[in-house]
Amino acid sequence: MRSALRGTLTLTAGLASVALLAACASGAESAPPAPEASEPVTIDVWGWDAEVTQLVVDAFNASQDDITVNYVLQASHEATQTNLRNVMESKQGVPCLVTGTGPLATALVNGWAQDISEYVEPVADRFSPGALAGAKVGDKYYGVPTGASAQFMMVNSTTLAANGVEVPTTWEELVDAGKALAPAGVKVINLAGEDPSTLLNLSQQAGAEWFTIDGDSWTVNLHDKATLKAAGIIQEIVDNDLNSTQTYKDRPALYSYFDSGQLATLPTQWWSLTGLQTNLVNSLGQWEAVDLPQFDGAKKQVATGFANPAIVPVGCEHPEAAVAFHTFASVDPAGIAASEHPETGAISVPTALEDVSEYTEAIVPDNLFAQTPAEVGAVIDEAQAKVIGSFERGPNYDAWFPELQDQWGKFIAKQITLEEALANVEAYIATDLESKGIDYTIAK
């Protein structure tokens, strides 16, 4: 352990070159010089987890003598965003690692995230491809590799069997399954009016790229073939009333509906399983974990999922120390072991690893599935190994996502088509980028 950390610390110091992208960011600065390898350093790490992170910090500090991490507990995700903005504006008390508070490109354009490629690349082989992909803007690492929770699907096997419907393996089959279930009043999927995540997930899975960067100019494209392919599936579901519209804002009602036997499929992620087991009553033991459907004709199986990587803010004087701690916490066996919950003994799935098979069986509840925990764990393993990880959301996500939510709500209410909603959001993005002086092109 000590030698591994020492290896990270002995990286060649020097100023990292600043990418053209960073040059367009307001207030962007080059990375500071790394300290001498023999110089012990202390860094502040920000997060809002009050139960486990301090344990990992303690284990890290005890594992070596080169770095001391001071964990600064934030009140909440929202408080972290506010406090980060304040310190970045004042340039006082800048921490060295901040848990992801939003899309990486937005942090970069705000002038907050520094290029840490020279510190990440030597340890890149310890992270999954999806975690690495999500930490990049262009070809440089502006975030630390942070694992995404991959989607898989739960199907109510009792409901499907009662209606003579097979488990769908493609999205096209899912539409057909919805049509077969409709006469019985069973909905094939839930699409909440406030939550357009299904559109983002299917677009990512289809291969869409809503935002790309070339030099210092963004290209925006919410109308490419991949996006329209995803939108077409969702449009057909809504046009044929194959979906329910239960809101996520009323959790008791939501769980009651999931438990009713009137919903056939539920795309989900590993972290939702405990809540489902706790809140479902009638359908316990009826669910089956299966691979996420693919698009018909897809060349390879992938799983959707993307994360907001933690950043090393501009002004942190010891980025190599931040990357060393993050590596310990995310993929080192000792760091993962230290994340055991003090009361439950649970260890969350270390999603930055490519192979998570050692950890998944333990997080599967006993009564939710018709399958064994090992069988469900294998589905989660497969999804995590194939998670895409990256889906660029551009330099103004905070501005356009609420617009997407609004347009999505109108689509779910059948006031507009999904293609119209996407066109409206794209026009909104263009206007917002124009107002902010950010160079962009709308793709033809």
Side-chain angles (χ1 to χ4, degrees):
M1 179 56 56
R2 288 171 183 265
S3 60
L5 288 170
R6 179 76 66 181
T8 302
L9 284 171
T10 54
L11 293 169
T12 303
L15 290 171
S17 62
V18 180
L20 284 174
L21 174 60
C24 74
S26 61
E29 300 174 8
S30 59
E36 295 297 328
S38 59
E39 179 184 353
V41 300
T42 297
I43 61 171
D44 283 351
V45 171
W46 284 15
W48 56 85
D49 168 59
E51 297 179 321
V52 169
T53 303
Q54 184 62 59
L55 302 177
V56 179
V57 167
D58 293 342
F60 176 77
N61 289 340
S63 70
Q64 43 73 52
D65 301 320
D66 302 302
I67 305 166
T68 298
V69 169
N70 176 40
Y71 182 51
V72 182
L73 179 64
Q74 304 291 301
S76 64
H77 175 265
E78 292 74 18
T80 307
Q81 291 176 315
T82 300
N83 293 338
L84 177 61
R85 181 174 295 279
N86 290 339
V87 300
M88 296 310 294
E89 290 178 353
S90 69
K91 303 185 187 303
Q92 301 295 318
V94 175
C96 268
L97 189 67
V98 179
T99 301
T101 58
L104 185 58
T106 301
L108 180 58
V109 170
N110 284 341
W112 298 347
Q114 61 174 284
D115 178 3
I116 53 173
S117 299
E118 68 173 297
Y119 309 112
V120 173
E121 287 170 353
V123 293
D125 62 353
R126 303 186 67 182
F127 293 88
S128 71
L132 294 170
K136 284 184 173 179
V137 177
D139 61 353
K140 294 184 180 296
Y141 291 104
Y142 288 95
V144 292
T146 303
S149 295
Q151 275 203 329
F152 60 99
M153 195 161 76
M154 290 171 55
V155 299
N156 190 318
S157 53
T158 299
T159 294
L160 289 177
N163 291 279
V165 175
E166 299 290 327
V167 174
T169 60
T170 68
W171 290 111
E172 290 79 2
E173 288 180 4
L174 184 136
V175 173
D176 292 340
K179 293 176 180 176
L181 293 165
V186 175
K187 302 299 184 182
V188 75
I189 195 170
N190 186 60
L191 300 175
E194 76 279 7
D195 180 13
S197 60
T198 300
L199 173 62
L200 271 71
N201 290 333
L202 264 67
S203 296
Q204 181 200 36
Q205 188 179 5
E209 293 185 287
W210 286 8
F211 293 86
T212 54
I213 183 80
D214 183 10
D216 60 356
S217 180
W218 291 93
T219 297
V220 182
N221 190 349
L222 273 63
H223 59 271
D224 64 330
K225 290 182 179 178
T227 301
L228 297 183
K229 187 174 187 177
I233 292 290
I234 300 170
Q235 185 73 56
E236 189 171 3
I237 290 172
V238 172
D239 284 348
N240 290 279
D241 297 318
L242 307 181
N243 63 294
S244 56
T245 57
Q246 293 291 320
T247 178
Y248 288 93
K249 298 177 182 178
D250 185 347
R251 287 284 171 173
L254 183 72
Y255 284 127
S256 178
Y257 182 72
F258 289 171
D259 204 25
S260 69
Q262 295 300 297
L263 181 70
T265 77
L266 179 61
T268 192
Q269 292 148 316
W270 64 269
W271 47 261
S272 69
L273 300 182
T274 300
L276 289 166
Q277 162 131 332
T278 301
N279 291 282
L280 302 187
V281 177
N282 298 317
S283 64
L284 291 179
Q286 297 181 1
W287 297 92
E288 184 177 350
V290 300
D291 294 335
L292 194 71
Q294 304 295 300
F295 285 97
D296 190 23
K299 294 181 180 178
K300 65 176 183 179
Q301 185 174 353
V302 294
T304 63
F306 47 89
N308 292 327
I311 64 168
V312 179
V314 170
C316 164
E317 297 180 351
H318 306 295
E320 80 294 337
V323 173
F325 169 69
H326 174 78
T327 302
F328 175 86
S330 301
V331 297
D332 193 285
I336 295 170
S339 70
E340 180 177 330
H341 193 284
E343 295 182 1
T344 68
I347 293 178
S348 298
V349 174
T351 53
L353 288 173
E354 184 170 10
D355 181 0
V356 297
S357 57
E358 182 180 346
Y359 304 96
T360 50
E361 182 176 341
I363 56 93
V364 178
D366 291 333
N367 302 320
L368 181 59
F369 293 97
Q371 303 148 297
T372 67
E375 290 171 329
V376 176
V379 174
I380 299 172
D381 298 346
E382 185 80 1
Q384 286 297 148
K386 295 178 178 177
V387 68
I388 300 170
S390 62
F391 187 65
E392 182 55 63
R393 286 159 286 166
N396 61 338
Y397 171 81
D398 292 348
W400 65 258
F401 188 72
E403 179 66 14
L404 176 62
Q405 288 179 297
D406 180 66
Q407 293 292 319
W408 172 263
K410 293 176 180 175
F411 159 65
I412 293 297
K414 296 188 175 182
Q415 297 172 1
I416 57 176
T417 68
L418 190 47
E419 281 197 42
E420 289 172 337
L422 286 162
N424 292 339
V425 174
E426 191 172 74
Y428 181 92
I429 291 170
T431 300
D432 185 66
L433 291 177
E434 191 79 30
S435 70
K436 293 174 177 172
I438 298 175
D439 191 15
Y440 74 96
T441 301
I442 299 296
K444 295 181 179 178

